[in-house]
Amino acid sequence: MVDVDLGRSPTEKELATLAQRHGGRCRQFQQLVWLDLPSGRITASLRLSRLTIRLGDKAIEAAIIADLQQLAEGSVPTFAMDV
């Protein structure tokens, strides 16, 4: 499990694009968003900057973290990751 702090809240569009790029889909209940991927799940909120990644494939996890870093660098200079 890895927690990633983007420094800002992700948008619905960003999360949907991330899920599609990695062969998954998004489900949403109010402000909570789940990205169901073939190797696990990412949990996010549209109000908080922190995402929780629970994946069984380290290569996909690394690719997703790289995508998230690009999102963070594009909008906010800070990016933190708790392992």
Side-chain angles (χ1 to χ4, degrees):
M1 180 174 86
V2 176
D3 286 335
V4 176
D5 189 343
L6 285 179
R8 64 165 178 83
S9 302
T11 66
E12 288 178 55
K13 183 177 180 181
E14 289 170 336
L15 294 173
T17 300
L18 184 65
Q20 289 176 345
R21 184 177 296 145
H22 296 282
R25 65 182 185 99
C26 276
R27 293 182 299 125
Q28 183 175 347
F29 177 73
Q30 296 179 358
Q31 299 296 319
L32 297 176
V33 180
W34 296 271
L35 284 72
D36 295 319
L37 304 169
S39 65
R41 175 179 290 164
I42 298 173
T43 307
S45 170
L46 298 176
R47 300 176 100 184
L48 302 173
S49 62
R50 186 169 297 267
L51 293 86
T52 301
I53 301 173
R54 291 181 181 94
L55 299 176
D57 186 325
K58 294 296 182 185
I60 292 175
E61 183 178 289
I64 288 172
I65 290 172
D67 287 348
L68 292 171
Q69 284 176 317
Q70 287 181 340
L71 279 177
E73 290 169 0
S75 60
V76 176
T78 60
F79 178 83
M81 183 174 69
D82 300 327
V83 178

